[in-house]
Amino acid sequence: MMTPTGLPSRLMLLLCFISTAACNIFAFTEEPSERAGKADGYCSRILRAQSNRKEGNSEFRLRVEGDPESYQPGSTYRVTVIASIPSYFRGFTLIALREGAEGDRDEDYAGNFQIIDEEETQFMTNCPPAVTESTPRRRTSIQVFWTAPPSGSGCVAIKASIVQKRIIYFQDEGLLTKRMCEKESLYGDVTDKPLNNCCACGTAKYRVTFYGNWSEKIHPKDYPRRANHWSAIIGASHSENYVVWEYGGFSSDGVKQVAELGSPVKMEEEIRQKGDDVLTVIKMKAQWPAWQPHSVRSAPSAEFSVDRSRHLMSFLTMLGPSPDWNVGMSAEDLCTKECGWVQKVVQDLIPWDAGTDGGVTYESPNKPIEHHDKIRPLTSLDHPQSPFYDPEGGAITPVARVMVERIARKGEQCNVVPDNVDDIVADIAQEEKEEDDTPETCIYSNWSPWSACSSATCEKGKRMRQRMLKAQLDLSVPCPHTQDFEPCMGPGCSDEDASTCMLSEWITWSPCSLSCGMGTRSRERYVKQFPDDGSVCTLPTDETENCVVNEECSPSSCLVTEWGEWDICSATCGLGMKRRERMVKMPPADGSICGAEVLEVEKCMMPECHTIPCMLTPWSDWSDCSVTCGKGSRTRQRMLKSPVELGECTEELEQVEKCMLPECPIDCVMSEWTEWSECNKSCGKGHTIRTRIVKLESQFGGDTCPETIQRKKCKIRKCNRGQANSDEKKRRKEQREKRRSKQSRAEVTSEHPGCKMRPWSSWTDCTKLCGGGIQERLMTVKQRFKTAQLSSCKDRKEIRACNVQPC
């Protein structure tokens, strides 16, 4: 069978398989026996059809956001098909295949596409892994998300086909195909999704370190110079039954509080309510400002443990200020397929949107979303005002990096792969030396007392002591360490110590109080379980120690005092701010300005506000529109009911909105009557006329236009026979001479003294057929006399309305 255009029906059917746009170009019928053949698979037909491609085509290209050479298993990428102007396409098809696959089996397809705009794109009905257009029309680009396949999938080819008019473009090699291979893991075998059953034995202990890289130098657009910070970090090691946060999910109340306010209080409460699903709560202090060199402030870190049932780790922290933007890790699995524990994970972090606030810039005013959106990564194409916006759709530069390192294992291990050297070294605790082999050329202070044990449970931990290097007499002889560690057990681990309380692990040390020289730093822990006998916990919950930053301070360095106490929170309830100060003890020796921070500000959360700042009556009904026709406005009001002493009311008491009534009637507008013309007869009975024109037609029921010409009789004298013809000719000659004389005078003066003007041109065509257009005509200068002034002798233009009737 042949189509009306002469193409074989099978080729036409193939066009429809490739894109729905091709089916709208032609109309054809097919025998029932042809429709039944589907055994070889719709998707494989699409791939085999690419042998008819047009080589060397450069009008269209397929782009993956950030142009990566490799993909991270499980990560999501934005895929765009673009036509270079002035080209366009009506339809398209997108497929992602494993390298070397034929496409006739489900397992040949790699990853999953996600629809961004359902009005633009949809999954193919008979080939679900492929994406095509929803409606055939002219377009220059489309976008979808593609989630990479799990680890072990190898290389992937994302292919596009384009339908433009009646031509189909295929590209197996070049701009319409993007080839990416799996990114190799640098630090152990980390699974992309949580294992259904972790088979590792014993427990493992990890240290997570957070490196903030959000700075004005790296992210210059609209960077907030004041109050930029990372909120307190909150997270946990947990089981698969508990989801702290995840892409595509919705924010809990705790996640919302971290995302919008930077407060970890509600999030920690949610975590602790999960009971046995949580092994360790992960906490780190807020960082003000967001970025400082590591020589001034060490990166915050915390330690946590995992076991077979609680082998996932999640955390989050807010970029402040921001609407609801965070970074973090979600359900990072530290259990390997070989029944072991991951040695090290390093991951760059980009910000994600919690879906609770609609702001688009760092300091956007609050714009709560009533029905929360899903949690999603920010992209460079979200909004032109976004600080991460890139019209080319490039990847967002990471704002932080997180490192998770295994520092110890406990209990019998059952990993299938034998330990390597790094595994063994990581588990060896530093042994205390029995004799002091300190060289005589190194002069130290005395050792400080031992710190409390780092373990809050009966698991093995560490404690530390330190000393200061006072002098090094011989620089060629190295001086040994200034810190010493030894293993220890947590409190409450012996029968005779049953009355002691159980404490959490120590939170990471605060930054040193001085940026140069010797200062102090502190750390905290909290009570996890009070003694069984009801006694009070007497163990310390905070520690302070000396710290040294830049021992050899430069002449431009300055010394400052320790921080003072925090001021009272500025709010009596809800969210407020608090501040503390310190003084400059010694300015820089070179006379420069001291660069150390002397003022620190952070948010504070007081109990929820229960007083009502203002009580208002309900809104009144809207007033009548301010006009009886056309566009106007209307208002409504409400009254303040609460007493003034309850606080200032900032709510609006009056609202104004636009209103629209039927269009106002427009009456017809006429010009003035002309002078009566001369009688058309020189003798006997005749008539004379006068005219006027319509300047504006009536609209919307206005008064209609009256007559435009009037006629009346005229009688001069009786006509004498034989004399009538000669008198008539004479009269007509006189009229012609009068008209010529009048026209000549008009050309000379024409309301412009000193000018000789050409007569008016004809009116131009109306600019619109209906709905009100304009016409214009011109009178130009023919001759300018010497006595003419420039301001009075110039071209003239007239404009009038036309075709004012409604369309």
Side-chain angles (χ1 to χ4, degrees), residues 752-753 755 784 788-795:
H752 295 279
C755 295
R784 181 182 289 110
Q789 297 180 0
L790 294 176
S791 61
S792 63
C793 188
K794 57 184 179 180
D795 295 342

Side-chain angles (χ1 to χ4, degrees), residues 58 123 127 152 160 198 271 275 288 296 303 332 368 403 493 552 567 639 641 660 704 721 727 752:
S58 60
F123 291 104
C127 181
C198 175
I271 292 173
W288 293 74
V296 176
E303 295 179 0
E332 184 69 25
M403 180 184 295
C493 293
E552 297 179 1
D567 289 345
M639 303 293 292
K641 293 169 59 179
M660 183 72 183
T704 57
R721 292 183 180 179
D727 288 344
H752 295 279

Side-chain angles (χ1 to χ4, degrees), residues 702-748:
D703 293 339
T704 57
C705 294
E707 60 185 354
T708 58
I709 183 169
Q710 286 184 345
R711 184 193 305 264
K712 70 178 181 178
K713 296 179 180 179
C714 58
K715 183 177 180 182
I716 300 178
R717 66 178 184 279
K718 290 183 178 181
C719 295
N720 297 324
R721 292 183 180 179
Q723 197 175 11
N725 291 338
S726 61
D727 288 344
E728 180 67 18
K729 291 180 181 179
K730 184 178 179 180
R731 186 186 66 78
R732 290 178 181 176
K733 183 177 180 182
E734 288 176 352
Q735 286 180 346
R736 285 196 300 270
E737 289 177 353
K738 284 182 180 180
R739 284 196 298 270
R740 290 194 188 100
S741 176
K742 187 176 181 180
Q743 182 176 355
S744 176
R745 288 195 303 272
E747 289 181 353
V748 173

Side-chain angles (χ1 to χ4, degrees), residues 24-191:
N24 295 335
I25 299 172
F26 305 97
F28 65 95
T29 58
E30 180 167 318
E31 299 298 329
S33 60
E34 292 290 335
R35 289 198 301 266
K38 187 186 172 185
D40 57 348
Y42 260 53
C43 296
S44 58
R45 293 188 191 184
I46 297 174
L47 298 173
R48 289 199 293 274
Q50 298 197 18
S51 59
N52 296 327
R53 67 183 182 273
K54 178 179 177 181
E55 298 286 358
N57 170 54
S58 60
E59 297 176 73
F60 311 102
R61 64 190 179 103
L62 182 148
R63 184 166 186 261
V64 178
E65 181 178 11
D67 292 325
E69 295 299 325
S70 57
Y71 66 86
Q72 184 76 35
S75 296
T76 300
Y77 300 87
R78 187 187 296 263
V79 178
T80 309
V81 178
I82 308 170
S84 57
I85 298 175
S87 297
Y88 64 91
F89 56 93
R90 295 184 182 275
F92 70 94
T93 303
L94 272 177
I95 307 179
L97 279 177
R98 299 180 190 272
E99 191 170 47
E102 295 296 328
D104 52 3
R105 300 176 303 166
D106 290 342
E107 53 267 29
D108 289 351
Y109 296 89
N112 297 289
F113 287 108
Q114 299 171 41
I115 301 299
I116 296 178
D117 187 348
E118 293 182 354
E119 295 183 0
E120 288 286 329
T121 55
Q122 66 179 7
F123 291 104
M124 291 191 74
T125 305
N126 294 302
C127 181
V131 177
T132 187
E133 75 285 343
S134 295
T135 305
R137 66 174 183 81
R138 292 168 62 124
R139 49 171 61 81
T140 57
S141 67
I142 63 96
Q143 293 182 351
V144 297
F145 283 130
W146 177 72
T147 301
S151 178
S153 300
C155 296
V156 173
I158 303 178
K159 298 183 177 184
S161 63
I162 293 295
V163 176
Q164 184 195 44
K165 296 183 180 177
R166 291 178 171 84
I167 304 172
I168 301 178
Y169 294 86
F170 302 101
Q171 198 76 18
D172 281 340
E173 304 291 341
L175 299 181
L176 285 178
T177 291
K178 176 69 175 179
R179 180 178 180 271
M180 296 187 297
C181 293
E182 181 180 348
K183 189 174 184 179
E184 295 182 2
S185 176
L186 299 178
Y187 304 100
D189 184 11
V190 183
T191 55

Side-chain angles (χ1 to χ4, degrees), residues 1-9 12 25-29:
M1 188 190 74
M2 300 293 289
T3 65
T5 57
L7 292 174
S9 61
M12 286 307 309
I25 299 172
F26 305 97
F28 65 95
T29 58

